[in-house]
Amino acid sequence: MSFDLVLFGGTGDLAWRKLMPALFQAFRHGSLPAGGRILGVARDALDDSQYRALIRSRFNEVELAKRPSPEEFDRFAAMLHFLRMDLSQPQDYQRLADKLRERNADIVVMYLATAPSLFTVACEQLAAAGLNTENTRLVLEKPLGHDLASNRAINETVRSVLSEKQIFRIDHYLGKPSVQNLFALRFGNALFEPLWRRETIANIQITIAEDLGVEKRGAFYDSTGALRDMVQNHALQLLCALAMEPPINAHADAIRDEKLKVLRSLKPWTPQALGPDVIRGQYMSGKMGGEIVPGYRDEPGVNPQSMTETFVALRAEIANWRWAGVPFYIRTGKRLAARDARIVVNFRPAPHAIFHSPLGAANRLIIHLQPKDGLELHLLAQGQDNRQARSAQSLTPVHLDLDFDKRFGSERVGAYERLLLDVIDGRLNLFVRSDEQEEAWRWVEPIMESWRNDPSGPRPYAAGTWGPSAASAMIARDGHCWNEEC
Ligand code: NAP
C-alpha cells in the first residue's frame, strides 16, 4: 500500500519534536508501509535537501536511543520531501494537487499540524482543489476550537468535505501504551469489573502534573489555559475510559458510543457548585530542583497581568446507576512538585473491621501513566511477625507492583507512532468523534463563563508545590485526600 503523508506545518514545533521522531521510530521498527512519502508543507522557501538537512539537525535534540545513525537517517530521508505553500492562499492548493497526482498514492493523509485558525480555510481549499477523495484521511490536532461554538464551526466545515470515518481527531493521551492498558485492564480482564462501581469504589482521582512551566509556548498557553489545554480533552478522555460501560466490541464506534454516554452523564454545573468544586490556580516563582524558577506572569510571551490558569482541580460526578455519588477528582497543572500522571482508584474500606489497620488504610489501585507506566495494587497484609503485632492483629499496607516498561521493555511503540500508524491503516479506535468533543466542550463551558465573570482570578501557588491549598480543602470536604497527602 502506498501512502502520501502531507504534514502541514512540517517545520513547526510539533512536527520536529513529536511527529518526525515518531515517524522515524515507525520506520526503524519496520512498521511504516513501504512506498510511503512524507511531504512537509510550510511557507519557508526550502527544497527537499534543505528540508532533510533541517530535520537531520533537529534529530540532535532527540534522546540518544531514538536518534538515527547517519545511514538510518539517509534511508529515512529518502521519504522526506518539501512543498512551499501558504495555506491561506487558494492558488497554492493546485500545486499540492499536482504534486500528489505525481504518485497517485493509495492513501493520502493530510495532517494539520498548524494553528487551528487555518483548519477551516485548509478544508475548504482542499475540497476546492479536488483533494477530498475517498482515499483522503484528515488528521486534526488539538485544540479544536476554543469553545463549543468554534469547535462546532470547525467540525461542520470538516464534515462538509469529508465523512466522519475520514477524520482523525488526535488526543495523544489515547495513544499512550498506559491508556491502552487501562482499556485492557477493564475489558480484557474479568477481575475488576464486579468491583468497578459505586458500591465498592469511594472515589477516583486523575492527576496530570507537569513540573515544567510554559517553556517557549507562553503566548499559545496564555490564550488557552489548563482547562482548555488539558481538562476538556485529555483528562475527560481518561475519565471516559475509567467510567464507560464495556463496549459490545472493540470497533471504533462501539467504544466512542460508550465514551459519549459518560460525557452526557456528567452532572451539569450549577452556580452553587462552581465555586467550591472548581479551583483554578496560577504559579508564582518558586524553588524547583534547587533553583528559583520564574512565576507564570514573568514567562516570555505571557501577559504580565494574565488571569490564565496554569492549574485546575475539580470535582465531577457521573449521574448514572454505576457511579451515582462517587466523586471523580481531576487535577492538572504546570510547575507542580513532580512530573506525574496517574489515576488512583480508592476502594471503600472493609465493611466490618476485625483487624487493626492504619487509619484510613483501604485497597487502592494506582494506574501510572507517566513517567512510569504500570499498575500498583495496594492491599493490607499481616506483615510484622512479632508478638505484639500478632496479639494486636494489626495489618500493614503492602502493594503489588507491575511495571510495564520492565515487563515489555521500554522500546514500546510511543503515542504518536501508534496514532500515525493507525491513521495510515484507517483505524479510528483511538481518535475522538465530533460528538464526544462537543459534549466535553458543553460541560466545561459554564466553568469558562463563571471565570470570565469572576474578577478574583486564579489562586497563586508556589512553583514546585501541588497547587493552591484550596485544592486540598476541596477534596477534604468529602473526607478524602489527594494520593500524596494520604
Ligand atoms: P508552530 O511551531 O508555530 O508551527 C506552525 C507550523 O505551521 C510551521 O511549520 C509554520 O511554518 C506553519 N505555518 C504557519 N502558517 C502557515 C501558513 N499560512 N501556511 C502554511 N504553513 C503555515 O506550532 P506547533 O507548536 O507546531 O503547533 C501546531 C499545531 O499543533 C497547533 O494547533 C498546536 O496547538 C498543536 N499542538 C502542538 C503541540 C506541540 O507540542 N507543539 C502539542 C499538541 C498540539 P511557516 O511559518 O514557515 O509557514
Side-chain angles (χ1 to χ4, degrees):
M1 179 191 65
S2 61
F3 72 89
D4 268 338
L5 169 56
V6 185
L7 202 49
F8 297 104
T11 57
D13 182 72
L14 182 69
W16 67 259
R17 264 191 332 109
K18 305 274 189 201
L19 305 180
M20 280 298 169
L23 286 165
F24 170 68
Q25 287 306 315
F27 172 79
R28 184 183 253 180
H29 294 148
S31 330
L32 264 191
R37 176 171 69 169
I38 300 165
L39 183 63
V41 170
R43 290 168 302 180
D44 265 0
L46 301 175
D47 60 21
D48 288 355
S49 62
Q50 287 168 320
Y51 186 55
R52 289 170 188 163
L54 175 77
I55 299 300
R56 182 198 292 269
S57 68
R58 292 301 198 186
F59 267 109
N60 292 331
E61 293 162 48
V62 170
E63 67 180 281
L64 207 53
K66 299 198 168 157
R67 226 178 269 172
S69 68
E71 304 76 53
E72 274 180 317
F73 186 80
D74 287 344
R75 283 190 288 119
F76 175 63
M79 302 174 78
L80 299 181
H81 298 264
F82 188 78
L83 179 72
R84 182 185 190 184
M85 175 178 167
D86 185 339
L87 285 174
S88 63
Q89 299 302 314
Q91 67 275 13
D92 284 10
Y93 288 77
Q94 202 45 54
R95 285 193 291 113
L96 174 63
D98 295 342
K99 188 95 180 162
L100 293 176
R101 251 172 240 128
E102 279 170 8
R103 281 174 28 101
N104 248 343
D106 298 329
I107 302 294
V108 178
V109 175
M110 309 276 188
Y111 197 123
L112 283 175
T114 56
S117 55
L118 291 167
F119 288 1
T120 303
V121 63
C123 290
E124 286 166 355
Q125 294 308 320
L126 287 171
L131 290 172
N132 56 336
T133 67
E134 292 223 320
N135 304 341
T136 309
R137 290 172 191 160
L138 182 74
V139 186
L140 297 168
E141 260 298 338
K142 69 151 210 193
L144 216 60
H146 55 272
D147 57 13
L148 179 59
S150 55
N151 175 261
R152 268 195 183 147
I154 296 173
N155 275 330
E156 272 166 25
T157 313
V158 180
R159 278 199 310 251
S160 70
V161 299
L162 291 167
S163 66
E164 186 67 39
K165 69 178 193 319
Q166 295 175 281
I167 307 168
F168 293 73
R169 296 177 193 81
I170 289 230
D171 185 314
H172 75 272
Y173 264 65
L174 293 180
K176 285 180 185 285
S178 47
V179 176
Q180 282 151 47
N181 264 320
L182 171 57
F183 284 104
L185 176 79
R186 286 205 56 205
F187 307 127
N189 295 279
L191 186 64
F192 285 105
E193 177 52 25
L195 307 176
W196 215 254
R197 55 195 66 249
R198 62 190 301 278
E199 289 80 3
T200 22
I201 291 181
N203 68 83
I204 294 187
Q205 303 177 10
I206 300 170
T207 295
I208 310 175
E210 296 175 87
D211 54 353
L212 294 176
V214 290
E215 305 288 287
K216 292 177 188 152
R217 305 184 78 219
F220 160 78
Y221 196 85
D222 209 31
S223 62
T224 307
L227 187 73
R228 289 185 175 96
D229 194 40
M230 300 300 289
V231 176
Q232 185 274 339
N233 36 62
H234 306 318
L236 285 185
Q237 283 293 323
L238 291 178
L239 181 136
C240 287
L242 284 162
M244 67 195 262
E245 294 300 314
I248 54 165
N249 57 39
H251 294 155
D253 276 334
I255 295 168
R256 297 181 321 171
D257 287 347
E258 295 304 338
K259 287 195 289 165
L260 180 65
K261 276 196 230 161
V262 174
L263 293 164
R264 288 193 173 146
S265 315
L266 279 167
K267 219 164 158 183
W269 295 107
T270 59
Q272 296 73 20
L274 276 166
D277 288 353
V278 185
I279 308 296
R280 62 174 158 158
Q282 188 186 74
Y283 66 82
M284 305 286 118
S285 174
K287 211 166 184 184
M288 300 199 67
E291 289 194 5
I292 302 288
V293 296
Y296 176 69
R297 292 179 182 182
D298 295 324
E299 298 277 18
V302 172
N303 175 351
Q305 271 101 44
S306 175
M307 299 277 265
T308 301
E309 78 289 354
T310 60
F311 174 95
V312 179
L314 59 81
R315 179 190 189 280
E317 275 191 49
I318 297 171
N320 64 19
W321 274 47
R322 189 189 280 266
W323 294 115
V326 177
F328 284 72
Y329 304 107
I330 292 175
R331 174 177 60 159
T332 183
K334 290 199 175 284
R335 283 285 188 225
L336 294 182
R339 174 172 178 252
D340 186 1
R342 64 169 66 186
I343 293 162
V344 180
V345 181
N346 285 310
F347 290 91
R348 294 185 191 282
H352 172 63
I354 59 167
F355 298 109
H356 293 289
S357 311
L359 194 67
N363 299 132
R364 172 177 298 167
L365 177 69
I366 302 184
I367 302 162
H368 291 278
L369 306 175
Q370 135 184 323
K372 190 174 157 183
D373 174 8
L375 292 177
E376 271 174 43
L377 182 59
H378 290 235
L379 306 165
L380 293 160
Q382 190 108 53
Q384 301 110 335
D385 200 18
N386 59 44
R387 199 166 173 198
Q388 197 186 0
R390 274 202 312 268
S391 65
Q393 297 273 307
S394 62
L395 301 185
T396 308
V398 288
H399 66 269
L400 296 166
D401 195 348
L402 176 57
D403 182 328
F404 287 126
D405 284 333
K406 273 198 197 133
R407 176 64 186 80
F408 297 119
S410 54
E411 273 298 288
R412 286 193 292 150
V413 173
Y416 271 104
E417 180 182 350
R418 166 75 198 254
L419 294 173
L420 282 160
L421 290 171
D422 279 1
V423 177
I424 294 168
D425 288 347
R427 258 197 311 271
L428 277 158
N429 298 29
L430 300 177
F431 296 85
V432 183
R433 212 167 52 192
S434 61
D435 47 6
E436 288 178 73
Q437 272 191 336
E438 287 181 17
E439 209 54 58
W441 277 116
R442 190 169 291 117
W443 190 70
V444 298
E445 275 217 326
I447 304 176
M448 303 192 303
E449 170 78 23
S450 77
W451 287 351
R452 265 195 301 276
N453 299 325
D454 175 6
S456 62
R459 295 164 195 261
Y461 63 95
T465 65
W466 282 104
S469 55
S472 302
M474 175 188 84
I475 188 168
R477 243 183 27 232
D478 294 337
H480 303 310
C481 50
W482 294 108
N483 186 220
E484 78 280 353
E485 293 171 348
C486 293

